[in-house]
Amino acid sequence: MIEFSEAFGVAFSLLISLDHELAEIVMLSLSVSLVAVLIAIIVGMPLGAALAIFAFPGRRFVIVGLNSLMGLPPVVVGLVVYILLSRSGPLGVLGLLFTPTAMIIAQVILVMPIIAALTRQIVAELWVEYEEQLRSLGATLWQALPTLLWDGRYSLVTAMLAGFGRAIAEVGAVMIVGGNIDHVTRVMTTAIALEVSKGDLALALGLGGVLIFLSIGVNALAYLINKPASLRNPSIKPALFRSPTKENAR
C-alpha cells in the first residue's frame, strides 16, 4: 500500500509540474491520433454519405463489410501494416516502419470504418426524412450530399469524437508498427504498458490519468455538442426547407 500511495504521489507531481518526458509522450499521442482522425474524416465521411444515398449493385455487401470493419482486431491491423512496410514488403522502400507515419496509417485503418459507418447511418436517416423535399427542389444526389452532411453536423461530430477515442486508446497496432521507441514513437498507451512491465508505476499512473481525463473530456464534449440538437423541435425543418416568413417570425 505504501508503494502504491507513493506512486500516486509521484504521478500527481509529474502532472502538476508538467514533466518533460510525460508532456513529450502526451503531445506525440495527440498529434498522431489527431492526424489519423483527420485523414479518416476526409476519407470516411464522403464514403459513408455516398453509401447512404447512392444505389449500386452490391451496395448491401459493401455496407455489411464496412460495419464488420468497425470491429477490426488492432493487432491484426498492426501485423498487416508491419508486413506492408517492412523491408521485404511492397512498401518497404518508403522506410516508414517504426515511425509516427506508420502509426498514423494503422490508426486510420482502424478509425476510418467507424467514422464511415456512423456517417452512413446518420445520413441515411436524414435522407429518408428529406429525400422528397430535396428532389422537389431539383437537387441532384451530389447536391444533396453536402446539405445532409451539414444538417447532421452535430451527430457527425460525435462520430468524429468516437473515432478519436478509438485512436487515442489504441495500443496493439501502434506498438507493432511503431516499435515503442523512446522519443520517437512512444505514445501514452505503449508507454503505460512498458512502464508497468518495468515496475515504474508513477509515470504509468500519470499517463493513465491523462488518458482518463481525455476520455471524460471527449464524452463531455459529445454530450454538449448533441444537446442543442436534442433540444431542437423535431417538427422544425432544416434551414433549407424553412420559408422566409417563418424564419423571420422566429
Side-chain angles (χ1 to χ4, degrees), residues 158 161-162 164-165 211-226:
T158 303
L161 294 175
F164 176 75
L211 274 176
I212 292 174
F213 176 79
L214 286 173
S215 176
I216 295 174
V218 166
N219 282 281
L221 185 60
Y223 173 77
L224 292 175
I225 289 173
N226 271 319

Side-chain angles (χ1 to χ4, degrees), residues 4-14 202 205:
F4 280 110
S5 62
E6 290 178 353
F8 275 107
V10 175
F12 183 75
S13 66
L14 289 174
L205 287 171

